[in-house]
Amino acid sequence: MASSKFSNDLLIIYKISQSLLRHKNVNTLLNEVLDILETEMNTERATLTLFHTNENALIIEASKGLSAQEKARGRYALGEGVTGLVGLNRQAIVIPNIAEEESFLDRTRARKKNDIGFVCVPVMRNDELIGTISVDLEATPNIDWERKKQLLEIIANLLADAIFQIREGIEEKNTLKTENSRLQKELGNRYNPSNMVGNSRVMQKVFENINLMGSVHGAILIMGESGVGKELTSRAIHFSGIRKMSTFLSLNCSGLPINMVEKELFGVERDGRLIKAGMLEKAHGGTLYIDELTDTSMEIQHQLEDYLQNQTFKRVGGTETLNSNVRLIVGTYKNVDEAIENEEISESFYYRLSVNTLVVPPLRDRKSDITLLADYFLDEFNRSYGKKVVRISTPAINMVMAYHWPGNVLELKNCVERAVLSTDDDVIHGYNLPPS
């Protein structure tokens, strides 16, 4: 009989060691380990907690046999309950029957019967507490609790590095979020408007320029590659500045016929009657953002140049000169010198715009912001699609950080959206990301 138990213990250790060799994704690894414990060790429940140093508490990270609601209750300060005592003393605890132990809190409220034993061991790495592993077992008369404890301690040692990786990833993510919040508070949200995310040095410069340009009435030129967030930047300038209580409108000229762009900007009049009000009328007192102006005609650019000089314009088909007070913000993804040479942009119009110029950097130049942006989009799409994806796995983050993002923030946003929709659990894995 003893030989049979010993063989079973070796089988569990063997299967877990094979999982360690097979899985590079630590989340998949831990889920498989919990499955092995349930199947081979006949656990009623199995739980992994991580020690969060900033909160000085052990919090359930993965479990088998607990509902999401029960799992959410699993939080233990050091010294609180059995799990907290294991963390505090860095020593395993065995409770042959939880009904007879006053210190057992049943914080998760998952135990519906009394004939349950509980074993909890610390997960240590280089003498540092990483978390705990615990199991619920049926309290049968002949169970060898010391052997169960020793087996669980071996498993904790095997998994220490993998569990450490998970905790490091979570703490890094929380540190970035905390730092971003600190910077927002420190700058009074002036340099980092609520519709933009980033704490890299290059983005701090962008936020600083946004604050400065918010008080400018003159035209502004925003330059940057496609997908960097030029329209978001224009909105940030508007809503953090002196015109924030007035109208903000935007027009993307890319792909629009020239005559349609003209009608959208200046409006349409026929036989002295207003057919369509243009954006220069609708945005009176506010801001109009025009994206990819180089995709329009020189004639439209000259009309806008005249408007900047005189604050007047005429509707398409009209003869009356109209006045309006609109701040123009123009965005372009093109190299301006080449665009002037290729006659895609009027040189005189460019020089009038370039008095106030802001450059939005590509994502590859602000890599420290990638995880912040990914988490921001993760929260956004969780809300949009009613999903509960809690985090991005370490291998997936490594893939995201290694990629060069030619499509910039917009490509990252689309990537996270696809991953949220394709994952079938609460974690985004590497295989949920696009092949590129």
Side-chain angles (χ1 to χ4, degrees):
M1 186 68 175
S3 175
S4 175
K5 290 179 179 179
F6 182 71
S7 297
N8 188 61
D9 289 352
L10 284 178
L11 177 63
I12 293 171
I13 294 169
Y14 172 76
K15 286 190 173 183
I16 290 175
S17 64
Q18 288 299 300
S19 296
L20 281 165
L21 293 172
R22 186 167 58 250
H23 293 298
K24 300 302 181 186
N25 184 302
V26 289
N27 300 290
T28 304
L29 166 66
L30 291 180
N31 286 328
E32 185 166 307
V33 168
L34 294 178
D35 287 338
I36 292 169
L37 293 181
E38 180 184 49
T39 305
E40 304 297 338
M41 204 172 174
N42 297 319
T43 60
E44 300 261 341
R45 274 163 293 277
T47 302
L48 164 71
T49 70
L50 292 181
F51 178 56
H52 293 249
T53 53
N54 58 328
E55 301 180 53
N56 205 37
L58 291 154
I59 300 173
I60 292 180
E61 173 66 21
S63 63
K64 193 74 175 177
L66 294 180
S67 67
Q69 189 176 22
E70 290 166 344
K71 178 182 172 183
R73 299 190 193 110
R75 180 190 182 91
Y76 312 89
L78 286 187
E80 182 183 27
V82 176
T83 300
L85 284 171
V86 170
L88 179 64
N89 299 322
R90 275 64 166 172
Q91 291 183 348
I93 292 179
V94 175
I95 300 176
N97 193 325
I98 61 173
E100 299 173 1
E101 179 58 53
E102 292 183 2
S103 64
F104 190 81
L105 298 177
D106 193 18
R107 176 66 54 77
T108 63
R109 301 176 209 160
R111 283 86 180 175
K112 307 303 180 188
K113 53 185 182 179
N114 292 327
D115 56 340
I116 294 292
F118 182 76
V119 182
C120 183
V121 302
V123 181
M124 306 292 294
R125 184 178 183 272
N126 298 331
D127 296 325
E128 178 189 0
L129 177 67
I130 305 300
T132 66
I133 297 178
S134 62
V135 294
D136 287 15
L137 297 165
E138 186 178 354
T140 56
N142 298 321
I143 193 166
D144 186 343
W145 291 107
E146 181 63 23
R147 186 174 60 83
K148 297 294 184 186
K149 184 197 77 168
Q150 291 174 353
L151 174 60
L152 211 57
E153 286 175 331
I154 293 171
I155 293 170
N157 290 335
L158 286 172
L159 296 176
D161 283 340
I163 296 171
F164 177 75
Q165 285 183 42
I166 290 181
R167 196 188 74 169
E168 285 294 286
I170 292 172
E171 289 194 345
E172 182 180 357
K173 171 182 168 182
N174 290 338
T175 299
L176 286 171
K177 283 187 173 180
T178 301
E179 177 65 9
N180 199 41
S181 298
R182 185 191 67 78
L183 286 169
Q184 284 191 343
K185 185 175 181 181
E186 182 180 303
L187 299 173
N189 282 332
R190 293 178 302 162
Y191 303 136
N192 193 356
S194 60
N195 61 352
M196 302 187 76
V197 177
N199 62 11
S200 61
R201 184 173 297 178
V202 290
M203 285 307 293
Q204 291 305 307
K205 184 64 177 176
V206 170
F207 297 146
E208 184 177 326
N209 286 332
I210 286 171
N211 181 63
L212 291 172
M213 292 185 183
S215 60
V216 169
H217 284 292
I220 298 169
L221 176 65
I222 300 177
M223 301 172 65
E225 297 175 4
S226 295
V228 295
K230 296 188 290 294
E231 182 175 344
L232 272 177
T233 303
S234 70
R235 289 180 183 274
I237 291 171
H238 174 80
F239 289 107
S240 65
I242 53 180
R243 294 180 181 245
K244 63 183 177 182
M245 302 306 293
S246 303
T247 303
F248 175 89
L249 295 177
S250 66
L251 175 66
N252 190 333
C253 300
S254 180
L256 289 179
I258 300 299
N259 63 336
M260 185 178 292
V261 172
E262 188 178 22
K263 291 174 182 177
E264 287 293 329
L265 287 172
F266 304 107
V268 181
E269 186 176 315
R270 187 176 301 130
D271 299 327
R273 292 184 299 109
L274 174 64
I275 304 299
K276 176 184 176 67
M279 289 186 170
L280 288 175
E281 289 179 72
K282 295 177 183 178
H284 177 67
T287 302
L288 172 60
Y289 173 66
I290 305 172
D291 198 18
E292 312 306 357
L293 188 69
T294 52
D295 290 345
T296 66
S297 67
M298 284 291 186
E299 181 182 352
I300 290 176
Q301 292 181 37
H302 289 314
Q303 290 180 68
L304 287 171
E305 186 179 355
D306 289 340
Y307 172 76
L308 289 177
Q309 184 171 349
N310 305 309
Q311 296 285 284
T312 61
F313 68 97
K314 292 180 181 179
R315 299 187 187 113
V316 176
T319 57
E320 182 183 0
T321 298
L322 304 174
N323 296 285
S324 75
N325 175 18
V326 175
R327 173 177 55 190
L328 287 184
I329 302 179
V330 175
T332 182
Y333 67 94
K334 293 188 177 180
N335 180 293
V336 174
D337 292 334
E338 292 178 5
I340 291 172
E341 186 177 338
N342 296 331
E343 297 185 346
E344 294 174 308
I345 185 170
S346 161
E347 186 171 6
S348 59
F349 184 46
Y350 164 68
Y351 287 126
R352 189 174 291 277
L353 288 172
S354 63
V355 174
N356 302 301
T357 301
L358 190 155
V359 178
V360 183
L363 190 54
R364 61 181 174 275
D365 290 345
R366 45 181 295 214
K367 284 210 163 189
S368 61
D369 290 335
I370 289 177
T371 54
L372 281 176
L373 287 162
D375 288 334
Y376 177 84
F377 294 137
L378 178 62
D379 291 340
E380 177 181 326
F381 292 122
N382 271 334
R383 291 192 299 271
S384 298
Y385 296 111
K387 301 272 280 188
K388 294 182 179 179
V389 182
V390 296
R391 61 192 176 85
I392 304 171
S393 71
T394 300
I397 289 174
N398 292 338
M399 293 168 66
V400 166
M401 293 299 294
Y403 185 55
H404 59 290
W405 299 109
N408 294 295
V409 178
L410 182 59
E411 184 182 6
L412 175 62
K413 181 178 181 179
N414 293 337
C415 174
V416 175
E417 182 176 17
R418 168 181 167 155
V420 168
L421 289 172
S422 64
T423 185
D424 56 4
D425 58 23
D426 61 356
V427 177
I428 289 178
H429 305 284
Y431 53 78
N432 297 127
L433 301 176
S436 60

